Amino acid sequence: MRASYGALLDALRSVRWPSRRAVGPAAPGTHRSRQRGTAGEFTEYRLYRQGDDPRALDWKLLARSDRAFVRVTDDRAILPTWFVVDASASMAFPTADAIDGKWTVARALTIGMAAVAHGSGDPVGLLVASGDGARQLSARTRRGTVAVMATMLDESPCAGAAALAPLIARIPLRSRLVILSDALGDEDAQRQVAATAIAAGTRVIYVHLVAQAELDPEGTLFEARDPEVDAVRQIYRAVDRAAYQKNFSTFRAQVAERWRRIGATYAEVCTTEDLAHAVRRLIAADVGGGGA
Amino acid sequence: MMSLALPWVFGLGVLGALGIAALHLLSVREPPPRSLPTARFVPGGEARAVARQPRPSDRRLLALRVLALLSLGAAFSGMRCSAVRSSTATLVFVAPLVAGDSLQWLPALNTDSLAAGAAVVRTLPGLADDPGIALVHALRDATAMANREGAIKEIGLVVVVPPMVRTMRGWNAWRSQWPAQVRVLVHGAPPSASAPLVRVIGPIGDDPVRAAYAVSIGGGDTLSGGVLDLVEIRRDPAAIAGAMNSRASRVSASGVAPSDDGRSAMRTVVEWPSFGVPTSWKRRVPEDTVYAITARGAAIVGPFVRRAEFEGSASARDTVTPWHPIAWWSDGAVAAIERRDHGQCWRAVGIEIPSSTDLLLSASARGLLTAIGASCGHGLSAHQLTDSARMTAIDSSAGAPRMLPRFADAELFRQGMRPDVSSNPRWLGPLLLVVALLALAIEYWWRIRVRMRGDTP
């Protein structure tokens, strides 16, 4: 694991990522579960019904009220958290190894959020989509899972055109899904698949990565070329700066509005933002609901 | 000094070179490519853009192209290189009679044209006969000079003549053609107030020439008359080389032998053999008879047998010691000549006078006798040139008199003439053309080489 991850993980040591809603029945975990049982924290009394476990009866209350009540408690369950990371050529901007590049920030955010989720006992899984194909790491809670994810991300090439929608479709339902992408690929297909998953109970957080150089390109005259679609070439001139920023801003607003409309949590992260702050903001957005 | 016959052609070359240099400051090429994932949001624009560069691109190609254009312009503009360093040229025409004394009259010119190499000094035969010939030659030479040297802006004219000339008719007729002042330098002693002393050295006996000079030349005591010039007429061919200072056969005009007190300032030696032909003359074959001799506007008629013929030609007039005729046969052939050589005057007379004739005693012979017996340079008519400033600076030909300019405008001589657009020297134009073609060839080769290598200029 890179040294840069160490600093980020240290900064996120005390961060917790609870689920905003009660999760479905699952293995015991830290998230409040919709399933009610007799173990765990006392929640309420319920009249005894035939079939209930007699050991759940509250004998003291029976003695006082001469009525039979059972103690009801909330269960805690795990919430598997999946990360789908876009490793297409457009993510390698300005370069694949640039500190302020989208791919570097995507990897750091993935590791940071995975570490927080894993630290709460949730299994974390990873899907990386690049032009070479997809790489998958099944969700697991064992120790070292985050390190394996980091290694897998570092070894993944960031090139070509990658489709994330098929990977999103693989995610088990009723889990937590974090999509890290620049929305310049198959964003529409991703959204459709994500909408289906959201309807089935999956929590979706869409992290829209934007490079500072994309917000305000440097230079006064150059030929802008799309790294994924060679046919897309435009002459960028200084006079076109305002129009370009307006077009890009409109696009980002539309993306945000579309994802929020399907019930996902949308957050835009610029590559110049502090990574630890970005992770906290993303988690807070998910916990608080809506977007950030 | 360098000048251009067609400066506008060279100007076109300069303009072309400036245009090429300006184009090299512009970069008309595709902008550099750059990866931008959000390229789809860039508004559509021109695929090729023009950008201004702070420094010219490919300075080697630029230098070759500029060199080619400038060389082409210079090649077709008639570039001239001349030693002339001044815009004022001076034409100096000198009479042969005074050409030998250039060390005396040349400093008097005092013109910068001489130092700048823009002065043309020519000895003009016939100038002492009529100075008008200088005006004719001046017009022709000024036209040629003005068209040959584009840098010349004004032309001056100087005429160096002896005090006496034969006629002024040509001068008066052509004076108005020269549109500026003419500086006339009169060199030589003014006519002597007294007649020169004539002594005939020849065989003792009946000599019609001796008799003629003893009678025709005015009498009086030459000493008291202040004789300044001496004319020695040598009749005996054998005595030509001797008796220069002989006192035995002196015969003065009055018959009184003057004492030798060194008063003679100019000595004229006349070779007039009583028989045979003078030195440098040849015997005429066959002999003929000519019935008249003219000199000084007078003609002596008689049956003269012409046995001598002067061998000199027109080219002889351009020699160091040029000669000029002082008497002519009636058919125009030269009968007597005069030349001045280092302060001494020489005359040769090819007229054989019969020993028994008295033609020389007649009044019609006075012209011939005066021409032969006159002081050096004065064997012609009595026209005397006056001060040049007063005579040649006023133009009274039309309307009120006006002061003529000191120098003639060279453009006046270029009008109506087809300009000479050739280069000077002749090989300069072709050389510049070769330089231009060579530069273009190198530029083409260099451009292909850069393109093949894909180098960035």
Side-chain angles (χ1 to χ4, degrees), chain A residues 90 93 102 184 214 218-219 221-227 232 234-237 240 243-244 247-248 251, chain B residues 27 29-52:
Chain A
S90 62
F93 181 80
K102 289 191 291 186
L184 297 177
E214 289 176 333
E218 294 180 352
L221 180 66
F222 59 89
E223 185 186 54
R225 294 184 178 180
D226 191 319
V232 178
Q234 296 290 351
I235 299 298
Y236 178 87
R237 298 169 295 182
D240 300 326
Y244 162 81
N247 292 343
F248 191 35
F251 166 76
Chain B
S27 171
R29 46 171 74 99
E30 294 184 358
R34 188 188 297 180
S35 174
L36 183 65
T38 54
R40 69 192 73 174
F41 304 114
V42 177
E46 289 293 328
R48 288 168 57 86
V50 177
R52 191 178 61 189

Side-chain angles (χ1 to χ4, degrees), chain A residues 38 46-57 68-70 72:
Chain A
T38 57
R46 177 174 61 83
L47 285 174
Y48 175 85
R49 293 194 296 263
Q50 187 168 359
D52 290 339
D53 188 355
R55 287 176 294 183
L57 282 171
F69 290 93
V70 293
V72 179

